[in-house]
Amino acid sequence: VLRRCGEAPSDVGDPSGQWQHVFEKMYDGPGLEGKQWLGVLGNHDFGGFSFTSGWDQTIGYTWSSVPTSTGRWMTPALYYSSTVHYSDFSVGYFFVDTNYFDAYRPDMNEN
């Protein structure tokens, strides 16, 4: 997300067209139309070691009502769970980011 962490949640909009290009149009087509997208944040969402990228804006997009949103994007929190019910079974999904290895400064020797 081309935003900085801590910007107002009302700034979630899509002024750069990034959500349209990277998500809404990318994951649209036969079999994907109207399907909810369950996401989890990772190292690139946080901005690597600096944690200044707009990860909170990514969560905010879940709750926004901006005209560019189809409502399919679902990343409601840093960590969450969701039960998805299929026609003859259900699955409990747990969303966590365990990639703490990218949290080191680039000039730091992690050994």
Side-chain angles (χ1 to χ4, degrees), residues 3 14 21 29-30 36 49 52-55 59 63 73 81 84 93 102 105 109:
R3 298 300 223 171
D14 195 17
H21 177 71
Q36 193 171 53
F49 80 98
T52 58
S53 287
W55 58 268
I59 292 170
W63 305 105
W73 180 267
S81 64
V84 178
Y93 293 100
D102 278 345
R105 290 188 354 225
N109 181 357

Side-chain angles (χ1 to χ4, degrees), residues 94-105:
F94 297 87
F95 297 85
V96 297
D97 172 29
T98 60
N99 191 6
Y100 72 92
F101 292 109
D102 278 345
Y104 295 106
R105 290 188 354 225

Side-chain angles (χ1 to χ4, degrees), residues 73-97:
W73 180 267
M74 178 59 66
T75 305
L78 285 173
Y79 309 105
Y80 69 101
S81 64
S82 180
T83 301
V84 178
H85 303 281
Y86 298 95
S87 60
D88 56 347
F89 65 96
S90 298
V91 176
Y93 293 100
F94 297 87
F95 297 85
V96 297
D97 172 29

Side-chain angles (χ1 to χ4, degrees), residues 32-72:
L32 294 176
E33 297 167 332
K35 301 285 191 244
Q36 193 171 53
W37 188 268
L38 302 173
V40 65
L41 300 175
N43 64 315
H44 293 152
D45 298 303
F46 292 117
F49 80 98
S50 62
F51 294 97
T52 58
S53 287
W55 58 268
D56 51 348
Q57 299 294 313
T58 303
I59 292 170
Y61 193 75
T62 297
W63 305 105
S64 74
S65 58
V66 295
T68 57
S69 174
T70 60
R72 297 184 309 133

